């Protein structure tokens, strides 16, 4: 059974930093794509950053480039999202999700069968 568990969310002021972690019980595929999605109230869920467990291909949505960094620790089956220079518009529930490695950067939620429960990030101005 594949389980994902997010942690590290919280409340910070604009300009602050948070580090999210996604613990994965096991990778479901030889090459797995782990993606961080976020969903703000009243908005659609959007892909934020992806990393593949083989080859380490990385993708970011334009709005977080230069501020967020995604990384993977395959020995620990964990993926991290370092978020710096946070803005109020980053406020959302953040989810990690797992899918085939080939879907990295193709952020359709239907491409990712496995999801965590989410962790809330709130950025105040």
């Amino acid at each position: 059974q594949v389980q994902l568990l997010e942690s590290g969310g919280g409340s910070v002021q604009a300009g602050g930093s948070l580090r999210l972690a996604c613990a994965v019980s096991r990778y479901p595929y030889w090459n797995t794509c782990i993606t961080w999605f976020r969903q703000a109230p009243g908005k659609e869920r959007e892909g934020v950053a992806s990393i593949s467990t083989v080859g380490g291909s990385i993708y970011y949505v334009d709005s977080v480039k230069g501020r967020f960094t995604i990384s993977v620790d395959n020995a620990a089956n964990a993926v991290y999202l370092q978020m710096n220079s946070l803005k109020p518009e980053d406020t959302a529930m953040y989810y990690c999700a797992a899918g085939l490695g080939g879907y990295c950067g193709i952020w359709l939620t239907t491409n990712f069968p496995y999801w965590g429960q989410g962790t809330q990030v709130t950025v105040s101005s």
Side-chain angles (χ1 to χ4, degrees):
Q1 187 175 3
V2 178
Q3 294 181 322
L4 294 87
L5 181 64
E6 304 93 339
S7 61
S11 297
V12 296
Q13 290 190 328
S17 298
L18 285 172
R19 187 187 192 218
L20 305 184
C22 175
V24 187
S25 60
R26 68 174 180 86
Y27 294 143
Y29 312 104
W30 172 75
N31 183 18
T32 296
C33 180
I34 303 294
T35 293
W36 286 98
F37 287 84
R38 66 184 179 187
Q39 187 166 21
K43 294 189 177 181
E44 292 188 354
R45 194 168 295 190
E46 66 167 348
V48 175
S50 287
I51 190 165
S52 61
T53 58
V54 175
S57 297
I58 290 175
Y59 304 85
Y60 296 104
V61 69
D62 285 347
S63 60
V64 308
K65 285 180 180 177
R67 300 188 297 122
F68 290 12
T69 303
I70 191 170
S71 61
V72 62
D73 182 346
N74 285 328
N77 280 15
V79 173
Y80 305 97
L81 187 67
Q82 178 67 43
M83 306 187 296
N84 298 329
S85 302
L86 282 161
K87 303 176 181 180
E89 51 264 43
D90 295 317
T91 294
M93 184 71 79
Y94 283 70
Y95 302 88
C96 62
L100 282 167
Y103 288 138
C104 266
I106 305 173
W107 290 324
L108 297 174
T109 56
T110 51
N111 287 342
F112 295 86
Y114 305 99
W115 291 80
Q117 292 301 306
T119 186
Q120 177 68 38
V121 171
T122 303
V123 185
S124 58
S125 56

